[in-house]
């Protein structure tokens, strides 16, 4: 091991930058955080990963509002099917 290292070109921060993730500060109720930490220990994965998975599952269940473009497309498809049946 060297006696002295040269850190003149060093950069502060994470060694490996994360892509597709953003660091934020968020306040979580103590009991919710503790529950995720307990479950993560028994599951063998990180509590933040489990929280992210739970948020994704919730977002998949929540339906997006129906916009005009989607409504028009669905109606056109239904009308085409009705015309094809005749």
């Amino acid at each position: 091991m060297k006696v002295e290292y040269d850190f003149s070109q060093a950069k502060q921060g994470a060694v490996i930058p994360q892509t597709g993730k953003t660091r934020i500060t968020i306040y979580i109720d103590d009991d919710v955080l503790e529950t995720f930490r307990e479950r993560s220990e028994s599951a063998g994965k990180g509590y933040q990963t489990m929280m992210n998975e739970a948020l994704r599952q919730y977002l998949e269940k929540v339906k997006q509002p129906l916009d005009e473009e989607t409504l028009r497309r669905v109606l056109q498809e239904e009308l085409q099917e009705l015309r094809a049946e005749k």
Side-chain angles (χ1 to χ4, degrees), residues 64-76:
Q64 297 295 321
L66 189 60
D67 62 353
E68 182 181 354
E69 182 181 327
T70 304
L71 181 58
R72 285 181 184 275
R73 182 181 49 80
V74 169
L75 289 172
Q76 288 174 355

Side-chain angles (χ1 to χ4, degrees), residues 37-84:
R37 284 181 172 164
E38 288 170 359
R39 290 181 183 184
S40 71
E41 286 179 19
S42 62
K45 58 171 102 171
Y47 73 93
Q48 292 177 348
T49 300
M50 292 185 76
M51 293 174 100
N52 197 42
E53 290 171 356
L55 288 168
R56 282 187 188 278
Q57 287 175 5
Y58 172 78
L59 290 174
E60 288 173 8
K61 290 181 183 179
V62 175
K63 294 187 178 191
Q64 297 295 321
L66 189 60
D67 62 353
E68 182 181 354
E69 182 181 327
T70 304
L71 181 58
R72 285 181 184 275
R73 182 181 49 80
V74 169
L75 289 172
Q76 288 174 355
E77 289 172 2
E78 293 295 323
L79 287 171
Q80 286 175 357
E81 287 181 25
L82 286 174
R83 288 182 191 135

Side-chain angles (χ1 to χ4, degrees), residues 5-33:
Y5 289 93
D6 179 19
F7 291 104
S8 62
Q9 301 297 319
K11 295 181 181 178
Q12 187 175 5
V15 176
I16 302 172
Q18 291 287 329
T19 56
K21 295 191 180 229
T22 303
R23 180 182 296 250
I24 64 168
T25 300
I26 185 171
Y27 289 95
I28 304 291
D29 292 340
D30 292 338
D31 59 326
V32 173
L33 181 59

